[in-house]
Amino acid sequence: MIELWTTLTPILLADVVNPVLFAFMVYAAGAGRPVLTSSMLLLGHTAAYLAAGFVVALGIDKVSDRLANPHAIDFVISLVVGLLLLWVGWRSTRPQQKREPEVSGQLTPAKAFGFGAVVNFVGIPFALPYFAAVDQMLKADLATAGAVLTLVAYNILYALPFVVVPVLVAVLGERSRPILDRINGVLERISKVMMPLLLLLIGLALIADAISYFVTGEGLV
C-alpha cells in the first residue's frame, strides 16, 4: 500500500491543479450563503468524480482483453485521437479570452450540488491524471475493500485543497476575494503550461504507437 501511494502522490498533486473547479468554487462563494453554496458545489463535484472512478475501473476490466489483442482499427482510432490531442494541445497554448462562469438563475446550495457534478464533466481535460491513478490502483491488484477505500481516500485528498474556499470565506468574508483571485491566477498559470504539454505528449505517444503498428506490425505498448 505504501508503494502504491508513492506512485499516487505525484499523480494527485498534478490532478489537484484544476483551475476549472477552483474558478467555479470562487464563483459559488460569491452567491448567497457562500460557505454552504461553495461547499455543496465541491461535494457534488467529488461525488461525480468518485462515481467516474468506479465506472473507469469497471470499464478498464471489461476492455482489457481487447487491449491485449488489438486490431488494426484500434490503431487507426489511436492515430485519429492522437492527431486530435495534438490539435487541442496546440490550440490550448494560444491566448484565450477569459470568461466568467455563467449559471442561469440564482445559484442555491441545492443547485450548486448538481452544478458541481456538471463542472466535473467540464473539467474532463484535467482528469487525465485521475485515470492514471485509477489504472495504478488496478495494477496494484488490491482486494475489493482495499481498492474502494483507496479510491475514496484519493477523492477525499483531492477535495481537501479546495476546502480553502469556504474556509477563507467563513473566516474573512469579503476580504477573502483578493486572496482567492490570486490563488486562481496561480492555478491558471500552472495549467497553461502543464495541460498543453500533457495533451501533446499523450498525442505524440498515440501517434507513435499507431505508426509503429503499421510499419512493424506491433505497437509500442
Side-chain angles (χ1 to χ4, degrees):
M1 184 65 74
I2 294 178
E3 292 181 359
L4 174 60
W5 278 103
T6 300
T7 304
L8 290 180
T9 299
I11 296 177
L12 176 62
L13 292 176
D15 200 10
V16 166
V17 183
N18 188 340
V20 175
L21 174 57
F22 197 87
F24 279 102
M25 289 282 295
V26 174
Y27 175 82
R33 305 172 70 182
V35 176
L36 179 59
T37 302
S38 58
S39 297
M40 290 298 290
L41 190 145
L42 179 59
L43 184 60
H45 184 280
T46 303
Y49 218 25
L50 181 60
F54 284 118
V55 171
V56 169
L58 293 173
I60 288 176
D61 279 344
K62 289 187 176 181
V63 303
S64 59
D65 290 339
R66 180 58 180 265
L67 292 177
N69 301 282
H71 299 169
I73 187 61
D74 298 320
F75 289 94
V76 172
I77 295 173
S78 179
L79 179 61
V80 172
V81 172
L83 291 172
L84 286 174
L85 284 175
L86 287 183
W87 180 76
V88 172
W90 174 74
R91 289 279 298 179
S92 62
T93 62
R94 302 175 64 183
Q96 298 180 358
Q97 183 178 0
K98 184 177 179 181
R99 297 191 304 176
E100 293 296 324
E102 296 182 2
V103 185
S104 58
Q106 184 180 3
L107 185 61
T108 63
K111 183 185 290 186
F113 181 88
F115 192 61
V118 174
V119 171
N120 184 61
F121 294 104
V122 173
I124 283 298
F126 299 93
L128 293 174
Y130 186 48
F131 300 149
V134 173
D135 182 56
Q136 291 300 315
M137 295 177 201
L138 292 175
K139 288 179 180 178
D141 198 22
L142 302 172
T144 302
V148 170
L149 288 175
T150 301
L151 186 59
V152 171
Y154 181 96
N155 277 270
I156 292 175
L157 291 173
Y158 172 87
L160 279 179
F162 297 97
V163 176
V164 69
V165 176
V167 169
L168 282 177
V169 173
V171 174
L172 299 178
E174 284 298 320
R175 291 177 296 165
S176 65
R177 177 65 61 171
I179 299 175
L180 294 175
D181 287 341
R182 283 198 294 270
I183 296 175
N184 196 34
V186 171
L187 285 177
E188 287 183 352
R189 287 194 293 272
I190 294 175
S191 68
K192 283 179 182 177
V193 176
M194 178 182 294
M195 293 314 300
L197 180 61
L198 187 59
L199 293 172
L200 291 171
L201 288 176
I202 294 174
L204 288 173
L206 291 175
I207 292 172
D209 189 38
I211 292 175
S212 175
Y213 175 80
F214 291 123
V215 174
T216 67
E218 294 184 0
L220 296 176
V221 181

